[in-house]
C-alpha cells in the first residue's frame, strides 16, 4: 500500500511535539483564521492541537494514527452542499478507517477589525476576500462609503496585513472572522456581524480515526437523541432498472422504506464507480426514540463513553442496514453521534 504524503507530514510534525501534552490533533481547511478554524475553535477551544491544511482533500486524508480528528465543511445555508466533501464521503475508507463523529454549525459573522486605537474615521481602505467584501456591501456603503475596497487572498490574509504591515496600520481595516483577533497582534474589533445576510450558516462534519473516538470538550447532556450518517447504493444500474419489468428490483424509495429510520436529510452524488448515472445517497438519520436514561457510562476526560450491551439506538440502525441489504441494496454506516 502506498504511503500518503499528507499523513506522513502530519505524523512528522506530531512527533516533533515534546512534553506531556496529550491533546489530540485536529486538522481543518486553512489558513489559520478561516471560518473553518473559527468553527473548530468554537467547538474544541484549547482541548486539541490545530493543524491548517491547504485543501479539503488534504484534511480528509490526514486522518489516521497521528491525527484523531478533522473538520470538513459540509453545507452552507445559502450556497448549498460542499461537493468535494460529499465526493470524499463516497470513499470506502469512510466507515472502515475514518468515521463521522459529529457536526458543528457556525453562524458566519463577518467582523471589521483595525489596529488597536483606530476608529471608523481613520479607515481609508478595507481589505478582505472578494466574497466577504461583497457580503458586507450594505455596512460599507452606510459607514465607509469613501473607503477603497481591496481584495486579498483570504479574510485571514487581510487581518494579517493590518496586523503586521506598518503602512497598513494607520488607515486600513480588515473584514475577517473573530478568531483572527487571537491570532494576530494589536488588532481591535470595531463591529461584529456586518454581513448583509444574517441567516448565513455553515455546517461541518467532524471526522475521526475510530468509530468511538472520544470528542474533547464534550459533555453528556442527557437528551435521548442520536444521529447517524448512512451511505446507500442500488446494486442495479439505472439503465438496467429502466429496461427491466421486474418489480423485485429495488428503487431508492424501497431502500429508504427498508431502512425505516427518520431521515432528516438526503444528498445524492454520482457513483464513485463511474457507472452511467449511478448514484450514491448520503442519508442522515435522527433516532428520537433513543433513551440515554439507562445507559451506563464512564467519564473519560470530558467525554461520556458508553459501556455494556449494545444500546437500543445502535441496534435499530444496524437492523435498518440489514433490511436494506436484504432488499437488494447496499448500506454502509459512516458514523454516529
Amino acid at each position: 500500500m502506498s504511503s500518503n504524503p499528507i499523513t506522513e507530514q502530519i505524523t512528522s510534525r506530531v512527533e516533533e511535539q515534546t512534553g506531556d501534552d496529550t491533546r489530540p490533533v485536529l486538522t481543518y481547511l486553512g489558513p489559520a483564521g478561516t471560518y473553518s478554524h473559527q468553527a473548530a475553535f468554537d467547538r474544541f477551544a484549547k482541548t486539541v492541537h490545530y493543524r491548517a491544511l491547504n485543501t479539503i482533500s488534504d484534511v480528509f486524508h490526514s486522518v489516521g494514527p497521528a491525527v484523531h480528528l478533522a473538520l470538513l465543511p459540509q453545507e452552507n445555508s445559502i450556497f448549498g452542499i460542499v461537493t468535494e466533501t460529499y465526493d470524499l464521503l463516497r470513499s470506502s475508507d469512510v466507515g472502515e478507517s475514518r468515521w463521522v463523529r459529529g457536526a458543528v454549525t457556525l453562524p458566519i459573522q463577518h467582523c471589521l477589525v483595525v489596529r488597536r486605537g483606530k476608529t471608523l474615521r481613520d479607515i481609508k481602505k478595507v481589505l478582505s476576500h472578494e466574497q466577504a467584501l461583497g457580503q458586507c456591501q450594505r455596512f460599507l456603503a452606510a459607514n465607509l462609503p469613501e473607503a477603497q475596497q481591496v481584495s486579498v487572498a483570504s479574510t485571514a490574509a487581510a487581518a494579517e496585513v493590518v496586523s503586521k504591515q506598518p503602512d497598513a496600520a494607520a488607515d486600513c481595516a480588515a473584514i475577517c472572522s473573530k478568531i483572527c483577533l487571537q491570532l494576530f497582534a494589536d488588532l481591535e474589533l470595531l463591529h461584529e456581524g456586518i454581513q448583509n445576510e444574517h441567516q448565513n450558516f455553515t455546517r461541518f462534519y467532524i471526522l475521526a480515526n475510530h468509530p468511538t473516538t472520544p470528542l474533547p470538550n464534550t459533555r453528556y447532556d442527557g437528551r435521548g437523541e442520536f444521529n447517524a450518517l448512512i451511505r446507500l447504493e442500488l446494486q442495479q444500474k439505472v439503465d438496467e432498472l429502466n429496461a427491466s419489468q421486474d418489480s423485485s428490483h429495488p428503487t431508492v424509495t424501497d431502500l429508504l422504506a427498508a431502512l425505516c429510520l427518520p431521515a432528516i436529510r438526503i444528498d445524492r452524488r454520482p457513483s464513485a464507480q463511474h457507472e452511467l448515472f449511478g448514484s450514491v445517497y448520503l442519508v442522515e438519520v435522527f433516532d428520537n426514540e433513543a433513551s440515554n436514561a439507562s445507559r451506563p457510562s464512564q467519564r473519560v476526560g470530558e467525554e461520556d463513553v458508553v459501556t455494556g450491551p449494545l444500546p437500543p439506538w445502535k441496534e435499530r440502525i444496524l437492523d435498518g442496514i440489514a433490511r436494506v441489504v436484504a432488499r437488494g441494496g447496499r448500506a454502509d454506516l459512516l458514523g454516529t453521534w
Side-chain angles (χ1 to χ4, degrees):
M1 181 181 295
S2 61
S3 59
N4 187 308
I6 295 299
T7 302
E8 290 177 350
Q9 293 170 24
I10 292 291
T11 301
S12 176
R13 294 179 69 177
V14 172
E15 289 173 348
E16 292 173 1
Q17 295 175 1
T18 59
D20 296 327
D21 193 344
T22 58
R23 290 178 295 169
V25 174
L26 179 143
T27 56
Y28 65 92
L29 180 62
T34 62
Y35 284 100
S36 288
H37 191 185
Q38 181 77 63
F41 188 82
D42 286 353
R43 173 62 180 80
F44 294 106
K46 297 181 179 180
T47 62
V48 300
H49 285 290
Y50 295 96
R51 294 283 182 268
L53 297 178
N54 292 330
T55 68
I56 293 175
S57 180
D58 288 345
V59 174
F60 175 86
H61 288 105
S62 71
V63 176
V67 175
H68 291 186
L69 301 168
L71 201 69
L72 296 175
Q74 176 242 336
E75 182 179 23
N76 179 267
S77 59
I78 295 175
F79 299 104
I81 68 168
V82 180
T83 56
E84 185 175 357
T85 293
Y86 274 93
D87 285 347
L88 290 165
L89 291 174
R90 299 178 303 178
S91 167
S92 60
D93 290 346
V94 189
E96 294 183 0
S97 60
R98 300 175 177 90
W99 291 264
V100 176
R101 286 286 289 124
V104 177
T105 299
L106 177 74
I108 304 300
Q109 297 281 330
H110 289 314
C111 298
L112 186 75
V113 304
V114 294
R115 283 292 286 264
R116 196 174 304 281
K118 298 300 177 181
T119 68
L120 279 176
R121 292 190 298 272
D122 300 314
I123 298 173
K124 302 294 188 295
K125 295 180 182 178
V126 179
L127 286 63
S128 196
H129 187 274
E130 60 182 356
Q131 289 185 358
L133 290 170
Q135 292 167 5
C136 298
Q137 283 303 302
R138 285 205 291 269
F139 175 89
L140 295 175
N143 296 277
L144 294 166
E146 304 299 324
Q148 180 184 358
Q149 298 178 27
V150 181
S151 176
V152 294
S154 68
T155 55
E160 186 173 16
V161 169
V162 174
S163 169
K164 295 183 178 180
Q165 292 190 10
D167 59 347
D171 62 0
C172 288
I175 294 175
C176 58
S177 62
K178 195 172 184 178
I179 198 173
C180 288
L181 296 169
Q182 300 182 46
L183 299 175
F184 305 110
D186 298 322
L187 293 181
E188 183 175 351
L189 176 65
L190 280 189
H191 291 276
E192 185 175 2
I194 66 171
Q195 65 280 354
N196 301 339
E197 176 58 65
H198 290 275
Q199 295 299 317
N200 186 358
F201 296 83
T202 298
R203 189 171 186 250
F204 301 81
Y205 279 140
I206 301 169
L207 199 67
N209 66 350
H210 191 273
T212 59
T213 294
L215 299 185
N217 206 34
T218 299
R219 291 192 180 277
Y220 169 57
D221 60 13
R223 295 179 304 165
E225 302 171 353
F226 192 76
N227 291 73
L229 186 64
I230 298 170
R231 184 175 56 221
L232 295 181
E233 295 181 72
L234 295 169
Q235 300 287 40
Q236 200 80 0
K237 295 181 181 180
V238 172
D239 54 351
E240 293 175 354
L241 285 172
N242 290 337
S244 174
Q245 301 299 315
D246 186 353
S247 60
S248 66
H249 289 312
T251 64
V252 177
T253 306
D254 294 326
L255 299 190
L256 291 171
L259 191 61
C260 197
L261 291 169
I264 57 175
R265 63 175 301 132
I266 302 170
D267 296 286
R268 177 202 171 271
R269 294 299 298 150
S271 170
Q273 307 304 318
H274 305 294
E275 296 175 355
L276 182 62
F277 299 118
S279 299
V280 174
Y281 297 91
L282 285 305
V283 183
E284 194 171 314
V285 297
F286 176 77
D287 189 349
N288 54 11
E289 296 181 29
S291 173
N292 292 305
S294 60
R295 288 168 56 189
S297 66
Q298 59 185 3
R299 180 69 70 178
V300 178
E302 290 190 331
E303 175 74 3
D304 283 294
V305 178
V306 176
T307 61
L310 195 67
W313 54 256
K314 190 66 172 289
E315 289 184 352
R316 287 194 287 274
I317 292 169
L318 295 180
D319 287 347
I321 288 175
R323 288 192 297 270
V324 170
V325 174
R327 186 64 183 87
R330 175 172 178 172
D332 299 295
L333 179 59
L334 305 188
T336 54
W337 66 97

